[in-house]
Amino acid sequence: MLTPTDPITVDLLEFIRRSPTPYHAVDSAAQRLRAAGFALLDEESSWQQLRPGRYYLQRADGTLVAFILPERPRAFRIIGAHTDSPNLRLKPRPAYRKEGYIQLGVEVYGGALLNSWLDRDLGLAGRVVVRDDRGRLVCQLVHIDRPLCRLPQLAIHLDREVNERGLILNKQEHMAPVLALEAGMADGPDPVVRLCAAELGLRPEQVLGLDLMLHDISPPTIGGLGGEFLFAPRLDNLAMCHAALTALLQLGELPPEAAVVPLIVLFDHEEVGSGSAHGAASPLLPAVLERILLSQGYGRDAYHQAVAASLCISADMAHAVHPNHADRHEPRHKPVLNGGPVIKINSQQRYATCARTAALFAELCQQEEVPVQHYVHRTDLPCGSTIGPITAARLGIRTVDVGNPMLSMHSAREMAGSRDPAPMTRVLSRFLRWSEPL
Ligand code: ZN
C-alpha cells in the first residue's frame, strides 16, 4: 500500500521527466520563473538602475541564475547546484554503418557507470542550431522521448566469464548504440540530422549545429513497498536544482527591510570539472554579484563588503549507505534514505564545508524540525567533489556542501528517498531568508 506522496516529490519527478539535458533543465526552470514573475536579464545589456524585483538570466542554454533584488542589498544567500549528469553524447556526423547496422558514435560525458546504459530503451534530446526562414541562426530544443536506439549487451554465451570477472566496456568499441538496420536506409543527409529536422518541422539543410545526448525513456517513478523510494535518472543533480528553484519560488515578497539577495545558480559542466565559459569555474557568478551591486549605485568596496557577508550552500546529492557494499562507507557515518539532508565534510577541501557553515546548516534544519545527517568519505578512498570548493575559491564566500542521500549515483537510472525532497526544500528556503551574520 503506497503512502500519499508529498506534492514536491511528485513535482520533482515531473521536472526530471521534462529535463533530459542541461538545456531542458534550464528551460524548465525558466518557465517556472517566468510564471512567478521573474524577468529575463540580458548579460549584453546594461543593468544600471535595476529596480527591486525578480530576475533571472541564462548563459549558453545550460546555466541559469535567478535572484530577488531587495531595496538595499548588503549580502547574498546563494544556493548552487548543477544541471548536467553523466551520459552518452553524440559525436559530429554521428551515424555510421557497421555489420549491417546503423550505429551512433558517442562520447562518454563525465563519470558515467557504463553498464547502466546497456539494454535500455534510449531516446535523444538536446539543442539544435538552425537557420530560420529569415536567415538567422537560432537554437531550438529537441526532446525525442521514444525508444530510438539501444546498446545491446553481449549474450552470456559469447562471454562466459562475465559474471565472475566483471564486465569491462571499452568506451570507443562497446558503447555505440544501434539505431537502425542498414537495409532500406536511404542515402543522403545523416539520419540524425534528418530526424531532428523532421521533429522541428525543418529541412535537413537548415540544421547547422547539434548538441545531442541519449536518455533512458523510462519515466521517473515512486517505488518501494510503501512508496519510500524514487527511481529516476539524473537525480544527481536535478533533485537539488529542483529543491533550490522551489525554495526560491516559495519565498514570496521580501519584507521592505530585507538586506540579503536570495540567489540560486544552476551550473552546467560540473561533471567534467566546471572549466567552461558557463561552468562554476567561469567568471559568471562573480560578475553577476558585482553587477547586481553596481546596478544599485554601489562601488567596488560595497561589493567586497557584500561578498564578505555572504553565504553559499552547494547543493549536490550525497551517498547513502549501500546495504550490499557497506564496507565502502566510513563505518560511523552512513547516511540513510529519507533520513534528512546530509552535510558533506572533507578536510582536503573536496567539500567546502567548515565548522561554522555546518553549524549554520544544522541550525536551519533544527528550525525546520528536519533531522540532519553527516557524510565523510572513507579515508582510504579518493573523495568526489562538487561546485562548492570551486565557487568558494573563486569568490571567497563561506560555503557548506549538502545534499540529499541517494544510491546508484551516476547510473543511467538512480535511486533516492521519496520523503527527502520536501524537508530539504524547506531548509533551503529558510537559508535564502537568513539575514543574520555568521
Ligand atoms: Zn553531482
Side-chain angles (χ1 to χ4, degrees):
M1 181 73 179
L2 293 182
T3 50
T5 302
D6 190 282
I8 286 187
T9 297
V10 175
D11 191 52
L12 165 63
L13 297 185
E14 179 62 10
F15 182 76
I16 292 172
R17 193 188 65 76
R18 288 171 176 268
S19 307
T21 76
Y23 321 121
H24 291 82
V26 164
D27 190 55
S28 305
Q31 284 179 29
R32 288 160 181 242
L33 289 162
R34 280 197 300 275
F38 283 73
L40 179 63
L41 278 176
D42 179 4
E43 283 195 272
E44 295 182 23
S45 302
S46 171
W47 293 8
Q48 285 306 305
Q49 276 122 38
L50 212 58
R51 296 181 52 74
R54 302 160 162 241
Y55 299 97
Y56 76 100
L57 60 120
Q58 295 174 219
R59 190 185 278 187
D61 307 314
T63 292
L64 176 140
V65 184
F67 60 92
I68 304 178
L69 180 61
E71 293 276 353
R72 280 177 289 282
R74 291 282 187 275
F76 296 93
R77 296 292 177 261
I78 301 163
I79 303 172
H82 65 90
T83 56
D84 60 324
S85 302
N87 61 10
L88 304 179
R89 301 197 170 188
L90 267 53
K91 291 179 174 175
R93 290 184 281 106
Y96 65 89
R97 295 160 191 257
K98 188 176 177 191
E99 306 292 348
Y101 294 93
I102 305 291
Q103 290 186 265
L104 297 174
V106 296
E107 275 192 280
V108 177
Y109 176 84
L113 282 169
L114 299 183
N115 64 298
S116 69
W117 288 86
L118 304 178
D119 293 342
R120 289 185 188 273
D121 303 348
L122 301 174
L124 189 65
R127 60 179 175 175
V128 182
V129 179
V130 303
R131 178 174 285 125
D132 71 9
D133 291 335
R134 287 195 262 164
R136 298 171 308 184
L137 298 187
V138 293
C139 187
Q140 297 194 23
L141 298 188
V142 61
H143 182 178
I144 305 171
D145 213 16
R146 60 177 190 270
L148 271 180
C149 56
R150 187 174 171 105
L151 264 165
Q153 186 158 203
L154 185 62
I156 194 161
H157 318 81
L158 305 177
D159 189 7
R160 286 286 187 189
E161 293 168 341
V162 65
N163 289 334
E164 285 68 43
R165 288 208 183 150
L167 179 64
I168 296 174
L169 296 166
N170 178 286
K171 290 177 183 174
Q172 173 69 26
E173 302 295 331
H174 302 145
M175 296 305 292
V178 292
L179 176 70
L181 288 171
E182 193 177 3
M185 179 63 66
D187 288 333
D190 186 290
V192 174
V193 171
R194 279 206 304 266
L195 175 69
C196 290
E199 283 290 316
L200 297 171
L202 300 165
R203 300 181 303 282
E205 57 271 25
Q206 288 179 277
V207 174
L208 301 179
L210 296 170
D211 251 335
L212 297 174
M213 48 200 89
L214 302 172
H215 65 276
D216 178 4
I217 62 164
S218 318
T221 185
I222 289 163
L225 181 66
E228 56 269 74
F229 299 136
L230 298 180
F231 304 147
R234 303 180 296 283
L235 286 164
D236 172 18
N237 193 26
L238 292 185
M240 290 300 101
C241 289
H242 180 265
L245 176 67
T246 308
L248 183 71
L249 292 172
Q250 282 179 350
L251 282 188
E253 289 299 314
L254 296 184
E257 71 280 8
V260 295
V261 182
L263 182 147
I264 66 167
V265 54
L266 313 180
F267 282 116
D268 198 356
H269 290 159
E270 190 273 346
E271 299 291 359
V272 291
S274 297
S276 71
H278 56 289
S282 76
L284 171 68
L285 187 56
V288 167
L289 302 189
E290 184 174 0
R291 293 185 74 178
I292 288 173
L293 284 163
L294 295 178
S295 78
Q296 303 304 294
Y298 297 107
R300 287 282 293 173
D301 192 48
Y303 165 68
H304 287 293
Q305 284 179 35
V307 165
S310 292
L311 297 166
C312 177
I313 289 180
S314 162
D316 202 345
M317 294 296 273
H319 299 294
V321 62
H322 192 307
N324 297 347
H325 302 277
D327 60 324
R328 294 302 173 111
H329 296 258
E330 147 54 46
R332 282 156 294 278
H333 295 90
K334 295 175 176 174
V336 296
L337 301 181
N338 293 331
V342 180
I343 299 175
K344 299 188 268 182
I345 295 154
N346 180 258
S347 66
Q348 324 298 320
Q349 300 301 304
R350 303 288 289 165
Y351 303 133
T353 309
C354 71
R356 283 172 186 266
T357 56
L360 167 69
F361 190 80
E363 173 73 14
L364 295 167
C365 289
Q366 192 177 39
Q367 290 178 2
E368 287 293 336
E369 299 180 351
V370 167
V372 66
Q373 312 187 76
H374 292 86
Y375 181 81
V376 286
H377 217 61
R378 276 186 70 101
T379 310
D380 53 3
L381 285 178
C383 184
S385 193
T386 71
I387 60 159
I390 298 168
T391 53
R394 282 202 67 85
L395 280 155
I397 291 180
R398 288 161 297 165
T399 299
V400 58
D401 263 290
V402 306
N404 272 342
M406 67 176 291
L407 295 171
S408 309
M409 190 182 283
H410 289 195
S411 167
R413 195 155 174 94
E414 301 171 326
M415 175 172 172
S418 64
R419 294 177 197 126
D420 281 324
M424 175 63 98
T425 304
R426 290 208 311 276
V427 173
L428 294 183
S429 205
R430 183 171 280 269
F431 167 74
L432 291 173
R433 298 193 304 270
W434 176 270
S435 58
E436 291 168 40
L438 181 69

